[in-house]
Structures are given as C-alpha cells and as structure tokens.
Amino acid sequence: MFKDAQSFITQMYQDLNKDHATLNGRLEVIQQEIESTGTYYHTQEELIYGARVAWRNSNRCIGRLFWDKLEVKDLRHLDDASDIINALEDHIKYATNDGRIIPTISIFKPNTTFILHNDQLIRYSNDPIVRPILQQIEDIQSSKVQSKFLPWLYTYNGETKVHPIDESIILDVPLTHPQFPKFDALNLTWYAIPIISSMDLNIGGVIYTLVPFNGWYMVSEIASRNLLDTYRYDLLNTVANAFDLDTSKTSTYWRDKALVELNYAVHQSYKSNNVSIVDHYTASKQFEKFEQNENQCGRQVTGDWTWLIPPISPSLVHNWHKGYDNTYHNPNFYYKKKPTKQEDNHSNKCPYH
Ligand code: ARG
C-alpha cells in the first residue's frame, strides 16, 4: 500500500510543482497512518486530483481532453443507505444540468458496505443488456418491473433491496429525423446521460468501490451500437425501412446508409433538445488536442486502439491511422465484475461498454 501511495503522491506533488519538503512531509504522515491503520485518508486535493488523473489514464476513452474539468463530489462522509441513494439521485440532477451535461464523479468512502449492482445509474428496463439484473430485481420484489427505467438493485449491510428511481429527474431525448416522419413514428428515445457505476477507482492504492461517473455521449455509442447491435435493440432493419432504403440486396449499401442516417438523427435530436453530445469527428479532433497537450507536458498518452476508433467511418479519423500503447497507469478505473460471457465475446469491439 505504501508503495502505491508513494508513487501517486510523488507524481501529483511533482505535477503541481510542490516543493520537496512538502512532499516528504506528506509521505511521512501517510507512512505512519498506514502503519497504524492499514490505510490512509486522501486530502480533498488528492482525491480531486486522483479522480481527474484516473480519467486522464482511461485508455479506452476518447473524451479525455476535459480530464481536468471533472467535477468531483467528495461524499466520503455519507454512510447511511438512504443518504447514499439521495446522493446518487443528486448526481443525476447535478450532472444532467438541464441538458448542459457536467462531467461528474461522486466518490463515497472506500470501505462502504453499500454495493450498487446496476452498471449505469440510468438504463432502460427493456434493454437486453440488463436482462440478468432485471431478473434479480423481479425475483426480489416478486413482480414484474413496469417502469421505463431500471430500478436500482443494491446491497447494504448484507441485505439486498430494490429502489425505484424518481423518473422525473431523468432527461430522456425523443429521437427524430428532419426528413423522415416514418422514423419519428418509431417513437424511439435515448436517455441524456451515461453514468457508469460498474467500476472501482484506484487512487494511490486506495480502492474506492462506489464512484459513479459520467461524461456526455458520443453519438455513435447510441446510434451505431446501442440501437443497432443484434444483442441490444437490433433495429437495423426497422430504421432502414423508416429511411425508405432498398434492403433487397447488400450492394445497395442500405446497412451503411441506415447507420449514417441514424447517427445524423441522434445528433440532431440531442442538439435540438439542447442536450450535450459529440459526434465522432469532433471527439477525435478533441482527442488529438489531448494528445498534443499531454506531449507538451512531457507525458506519454496511453490508449486502447480498439476502443478509440469510432464505430462509424473509423478510417476517416486520425486515431485509426496510429498505434497506441495500452499500458495501464494508476490512478485508474477498473471493472469490478468479471464480464459475462456475452460481454467477453465482444470485449475487443465494444467501445464504452
Ligand atoms: N457506451 C455506454 C452507453 O452507450 C456509455 C459509456 C460511457 N460513455 C461516455 N460517453 N462517457 O451507454
């Protein structure tokens, strides 16, 4: 533990140009604290910096230009289940910000006994990806889930319970296309904000197990993957018909055309509802800027190519044409659970799972 603490604190204090005496003083305090308690308590500055650098080190994320703007909510004082649930709902409200999404992380105490089983704070109950947890929820409450949004399933002090989310705090975006009323008639929606809740955060050897965090969506996560993957909403044929495409043979390129129109529709829909979203060209440009910034600071950017290329026209963005070193540096986020079989099958091809 001390080794991890030492490397984090040293990196941070150097990055922030703190002097040697301050660094050594802090390391001494930490060493003593670890000797007597087995762990140590991050100052708020360390917590904020650690969470931001964890984002900076997230090899799979194309949105890292904004790493130092991450809003960090220090919630280490909360321990009661109802306080934690309120704070999770506050995260949704704060980060949604009426559509001007604020990248936010809520950090609860590392040894909290509160375990959230949902992999995102917001998911639709009918998304095939939630089937296993939906089943668990229905078993526990002995009735079908009726709500559009999946309730939270959590374990607190060994007891597992269901909490229905207050749906009035969730921003949901109707998907429309300016040229195709038939598409509008499908009445598709997607929620505004992806809030990942399935990862641990390692800062200097301290593992935070409840750390929901969010950015905003890149269009293709919704349009190329969530709505089209055969093991998700599987809507390729449906939207191709709505876009009046000739699906009689592959060589009409109807699949590709449908994919492009759907990306266009999702982008337009979020924009016209004033909800933050980024297209893959802009995201890739921003990532290029991030790479330049990092090089200027003398840091080597690490990345996972298989995740950094967008699932639409990948060869049209710069990421495609270069290699990335996929070494994991700490601080960083790590998946808690072993992936299920299906996730495993697609793990190489599944941006932002
Ligand atoms: N791919 C996930 C989804 O479609 C979201 C992962 C995080 N994405 C992000 N833009 N921060 O729900």
Side-chain angles (χ1 to χ4, degrees):
M1 160 80 91
F2 181 68
K3 267 210 147 89
D4 292 335
Q6 192 178 30
S7 90
F8 164 60
I9 298 291
T10 309
Q11 180 202 347
M12 164 174 165
Y13 282 43
Q14 276 169 4
D15 274 7
L16 301 180
N17 288 321
K18 295 189 190 263
D19 59 43
H20 265 292
T22 315
L23 169 63
N24 290 336
R26 179 64 182 133
L27 287 176
E28 239 166 70
V29 170
I30 291 176
Q31 189 159 28
Q32 277 166 14
E33 206 177 328
I34 292 176
E35 268 163 27
S36 57
T37 70
T39 184
Y40 68 106
Y41 193 83
H42 288 129
T43 64
Q44 200 158 76
E45 190 188 14
E46 289 162 3
L47 190 78
I48 293 173
Y49 179 82
R52 290 178 175 167
V53 173
W55 185 8
R56 191 176 83 198
N57 285 335
S58 291
N59 288 2
R60 294 174 162 185
C61 178
I62 197 173
R64 286 182 269 163
L65 177 61
F66 305 102
W67 68 273
D68 61 346
K69 307 282 180 315
L70 178 64
E71 181 70 31
V72 180
K73 302 278 177 217
D74 180 1
L75 300 172
R76 289 176 294 173
H77 54 285
L78 298 183
D79 210 10
D80 189 70
S82 64
D83 291 342
I84 292 177
I85 286 172
N86 285 337
L88 295 175
E89 290 184 338
D90 285 347
H91 183 129
I92 294 180
K93 286 185 250 177
Y94 177 85
T96 303
N97 190 30
D98 285 333
R100 283 185 56 83
I101 292 171
I102 304 172
T104 305
I105 184 167
S106 294
I107 306 183
F108 296 85
K109 62 173 56 164
N111 57 349
T112 180
T113 62
F114 190 103
I115 303 167
L116 183 68
H117 300 286
N118 303 54
D119 72 338
Q120 288 190 19
L121 294 191
I122 301 172
R123 283 278 196 199
Y124 292 127
S125 302
N126 69 1
D127 187 336
I129 206 169
V130 306
R131 263 182 212 140
I133 184 174
L134 178 71
Q135 188 60 53
Q136 275 175 285
I137 292 173
E138 293 183 337
D139 287 349
I140 286 191
Q141 64 181 26
S142 332
S143 64
K144 291 276 173 213
V145 168
Q146 306 284 357
S147 54
K148 178 169 192 184
F149 296 99
L150 189 71
W152 289 335
L153 180 70
Y154 67 93
T155 304
Y156 183 69
N157 286 340
E159 223 190 314
T160 300
K161 293 189 175 167
V162 175
H163 174 84
I165 316 174
D166 170 6
E167 306 209 347
S168 70
I169 65 173
I170 298 178
L171 186 57
D172 207 23
V173 183
L175 303 181
T176 55
H177 190 298
Q179 281 99 45
F180 293 101
K182 265 204 262 176
F183 177 80
D184 305 357
L186 297 175
N187 284 322
L188 301 175
T189 63
W190 202 262
Y191 49 89
I193 171 174
I195 312 173
I196 305 300
S197 50
S198 55
M199 297 186 96
D200 290 337
L201 168 60
N202 180 340
I203 302 178
V206 177
I207 314 289
Y208 295 89
T209 56
L210 186 58
V211 287
F213 62 86
N214 71 277
W216 46 76
Y217 265 116
M218 180 161 81
V219 177
S220 53
E221 298 182 80
I222 304 165
S224 301
R225 304 297 312 281
N226 301 345
L227 296 175
L228 297 192
D229 281 347
T230 51
Y231 49 92
R232 297 294 295 288
Y233 283 91
D234 195 13
L235 289 173
L236 189 58
N237 278 288
T238 310
V239 299
N241 289 330
F243 295 142
D244 291 331
L245 293 167
D246 171 7
T247 58
S248 65
K249 50 184 187 293
T250 290
S251 57
T252 65
Y253 283 77
W254 64 269
R255 292 186 180 81
D256 312 76
K257 289 178 181 173
L259 182 98
V260 171
E261 282 312 335
L262 187 57
N263 273 264
Y264 179 72
V266 168
H267 188 259
Q268 291 277 311
S269 306
Y270 274 61
K271 285 289 168 199
S272 60
N273 283 278
N274 297 316
V275 177
S276 310
I277 194 146
V278 66
D279 65 82
H280 57 294
Y281 293 109
T282 308
S284 171
K285 275 276 162 246
Q286 289 168 346
F287 191 75
E288 204 169 15
K289 178 86 178 68
F290 168 70
E291 294 176 86
Q292 286 159 4
N293 290 353
E294 289 301 291
N295 287 339
Q296 265 164 24
C297 294
R299 289 188 292 260
Q300 202 66 44
V301 171
T302 54
D304 183 343
W305 186 90
T306 62
W307 281 58
L308 290 173
I309 56 163
I312 170 171
S313 312
S315 62
L316 299 185
V317 303
H318 85 284
N319 312 60
W320 168 274
H321 301 278
K322 52 182 295 191
Y324 291 94
D325 164 17
N326 195 17
T327 309
Y328 269 64
H329 292 303
N330 278 339
N332 217 322
F333 295 102
Y334 295 91
Y335 285 114
K336 317 179 156 302
K337 304 162 215 135
K338 275 191 130 191
T340 64
K341 255 223 158 84
Q342 189 168 52
E343 282 166 358
D344 218 351
N345 285 341
H346 299 284
S347 61
N348 282 338
K349 286 262 161 252
C350 212
Y352 313 103
H353 198 55

